[in-house]
Amino acid sequence: MKKINTLTKIILTLVIVMIASFTEVTAQNDPVKLGFIPLTDCSPIVMAKELGLFKKYGVEVVVTKESSWANVRDKILTGELDGAHCLYSMPFSVYTGVGGKAGSEMKIAMMLNVNGQAITLSKDFCGKVGFKQMNKVAPVVAAKLKAEKEVTFAMTFPGGTHDLWLRNWMAIAGVNQKTSKIITIPPPQMVANMKVGNMDGYCVGEPWGGVAVKQGIGFTQVASQDIWKDHPEKALVVNKEFSEKRRTDLVKVMKAVLEACIWLDNPANRKKAAGIIGKAPYVNAPADVIENRLMGNYDLGCNQGTQVYAKDYMLFYKGGMVNYPRKSHAIWAMAQYVRFGYLKEAPNYKAIADKLILQDLYEEVAKSMKVKVPNDDMKPFSLTMDKTVFDPSNPSAYLKVVKK
């Protein structure tokens, strides 16, 4: 009887091992599901697909258009998406409870781009405040408040990059954030909402700043690269379990996306990229608007002419400087949550950055592709428009200065 029981245990153990092995193999053969929001900076994921780079590196990828950043967050956390084109600060917003359930983990595998967002103001402000005329913003907003009792600005996700650029812009311009209403609108819906008067201004990625200009409903008051040249923007963010159990596939995805970033930084390729991502399955916006701002040629609207960004337009590679996920940038984002009242107390900055950024994995991928890995992480830096120095090793000192 004991022999039978022992034999049964052995058989059951073998069955369990076989099922586990089969499940793992099946998972490895499943296509990788990547989401994107209709924005110009989804280009690395879209072009990796269109150029056949995922196939080149031996991984099957399905890309899906998503409706909002909250939708992206939920699908990454549940595993419905393995990863996505994502606001780089979203994982920190979610983990700290600003933009999701505290403690929820989303992992940053690599960065996708810098620059290329904008503050767009309604045509109602045309002639009252011009491009980079920061000293005129507060008086215009104050006059609007006095006349109509409410001024509304929109961003795309609490604690996301657009939220942070908007709030930094308001702080620099001297606009009281407590007397202004700040709402959340998905990127593709910004133009339509401004058209019907739901907001006075918004911060979002291209092409929706350029589209507002083309349609004559708004104008560019400042580009995000004017606030912080070469600021971090979007990242490849992945599901925690996917990063752990399908590491080989993640590496292949990262290699394909990195090669797409290199391809996109060749100006000769940007016209082709604009034509592809502008199509309905992707961004669904005029290719000429996408192309112009991809090339750094900004029609500002409101009869302000054209602003040309020669070296600080939307970049996807820049010799490897773009794609390295820096922990210092994570700490800066979380310091903004404290600065602007999202968090009452400082989080454990470094521990959270260490937990959510797959820096070692990126370094492995970059070295395998002979891409330079920058050595500037955790060094002090300052924003272009706000000269206050941020030392990632001492966020509290920075907060004492900016909260005065």
Side-chain angles (χ1 to χ4, degrees):
M1 194 68 179
K2 288 184 178 180
K3 289 183 179 181
I4 293 174
N5 288 337
T6 302
L7 182 60
T8 301
K9 289 179 181 179
I10 292 172
I11 292 172
L12 284 172
T13 301
L14 288 172
V15 169
I16 291 170
V17 171
M18 288 174 68
I19 291 173
S21 298
F22 176 77
T23 302
E24 185 175 347
V25 170
T26 301
Q28 291 293 335
N29 291 331
D30 285 343
V32 175
K33 303 177 292 284
L34 298 181
F36 69 90
I37 291 289
L39 290 162
T40 300
D41 51 29
C42 74
S43 294
I45 287 176
V46 170
M47 293 313 301
K49 180 73 172 179
E50 290 285 339
L51 295 171
L53 298 177
F54 291 126
K55 288 184 178 180
K56 173 182 174 179
Y57 287 98
V59 60
E60 184 181 353
V61 173
V62 174
V63 298
T64 62
K65 183 192 288 190
E66 304 300 328
S67 60
S68 68
W69 291 121
N71 186 246
V72 168
R73 172 202 61 200
D74 294 344
K75 287 187 175 183
I76 290 178
L77 289 175
T78 61
E80 188 174 342
L81 287 174
D82 296 310
H85 150 255
C86 199
L87 304 160
Y88 102 85
S89 55
M90 184 190 287
F92 314 112
S93 172
V94 172
Y95 188 85
T96 57
V98 171
K101 183 180 179 182
S104 300
E105 294 183 34
M106 303 163 68
K107 304 286 189 175
I108 294 181
M110 61 181 288
M111 296 299 298
L112 299 179
N113 75 295
V114 299
N115 305 326
Q117 322 300 297
I119 304 289
T120 300
L121 295 183
S122 164
K123 64 180 180 181
D124 295 342
F125 293 116
C126 186
K128 299 174 183 177
V129 55
F131 179 64
K132 290 204 293 188
Q133 292 180 339
M134 302 300 289
N135 62 322
K136 293 187 177 182
V137 174
V140 168
V141 170
K144 172 89 172 179
L145 272 170
K146 185 175 181 181
E148 301 184 21
K149 308 303 181 186
E150 186 172 81
V151 173
T152 302
F153 297 106
M155 48 77 183
T156 63
F157 187 83
T161 54
H162 303 132
D163 187 16
L164 300 185
W165 312 145
L166 176 66
R167 291 179 187 275
N168 271 268
W169 172 79
M170 295 174 77
I172 294 166
V175 176
N176 189 332
Q177 297 180 30
K178 293 181 179 179
T179 58
S180 300
K181 187 177 180 181
I182 299 177
I183 61 176
T184 302
I185 300 288
Q189 297 176 26
M190 285 293 191
V191 174
N193 273 272
M194 180 173 277
K195 189 176 291 185
V196 297
N198 286 343
M199 81 275 279
D200 299 288
Y202 61 74
C203 182
V204 73
E206 296 302 340
W208 306 117
V211 170
V213 170
K214 186 179 180 72
Q215 294 187 8
I217 64 168
F219 64 95
T220 300
Q221 200 278 321
V222 68
S224 57
Q225 54 264 39
D226 297 314
I227 298 172
W228 180 3
K229 180 182 176 181
D230 291 347
H231 65 79
E233 184 51 43
K234 301 301 190 301
L236 174 61
V237 173
V238 297
N239 170 271
K240 179 185 177 183
E241 186 175 357
F242 173 75
S243 71
E244 294 170 347
K245 295 187 176 180
R246 298 185 63 181
R247 186 178 181 278
T248 300
D249 283 339
L250 176 54
V251 166
K252 292 175 181 178
V253 167
M254 291 170 68
K255 287 181 177 180
V257 171
L258 186 53
E259 185 167 329
C261 287
I262 295 170
W263 184 89
L264 283 160
D265 255 18
N266 182 343
N269 294 329
R270 294 205 169 191
K271 183 178 182 67
K272 178 178 180 179
I276 291 173
I277 68 170
K279 293 178 180 178
Y282 298 126
V283 179
N284 193 24
D288 63 329
V289 174
I290 296 174
E291 181 185 349
N292 285 335
R293 295 215 166 185
L294 263 179
M295 298 302 292
N297 300 319
Y298 283 49
D299 177 359
L300 299 172
C302 194
N303 300 313
Q304 296 182 105
T306 300
Q307 171 71 16
V308 178
Y309 292 93
K311 295 182 179 179
D312 52 356
Y313 52 146
M314 188 179 290
L315 297 169
F316 300 92
Y317 177 59
K318 199 177 181 180
M321 294 299 291
V322 169
N323 311 104
Y324 186 51
R326 293 167 175 82
K327 295 177 181 180
S328 56
H329 292 164
I331 295 170
W332 179 86
M334 288 184 280
Q336 304 309 301
Y337 303 159
V338 177
R339 175 187 182 185
F340 295 123
Y342 277 129
L343 297 178
K344 293 181 179 179
E345 297 180 354
N348 191 335
Y349 297 107
K350 185 64 165 55
I352 296 172
D354 287 342
K355 180 185 288 287
L356 301 183
I357 299 177
L358 303 176
Q359 202 172 71
D360 290 345
L361 182 61
Y362 174 78
E363 290 174 0
E364 176 188 320
V365 170
K367 289 174 183 177
S368 73
M369 297 182 71
K370 296 182 171 54
V371 169
K372 179 182 177 182
V373 175
N375 61 356
D376 60 354
D377 197 11
M378 295 305 292
K379 294 181 180 179
F381 59 85
S382 63
L383 275 62
T384 307
M385 198 170 278
D386 176 359
K387 303 299 182 182
T388 305
V389 175
F390 181 78
D391 183 351
S393 299
N394 191 8
S396 60
Y398 159 83
L399 289 170
K400 286 179 182 178
V401 173
V402 296
K403 294 184 81 172
K404 283 183 180 180

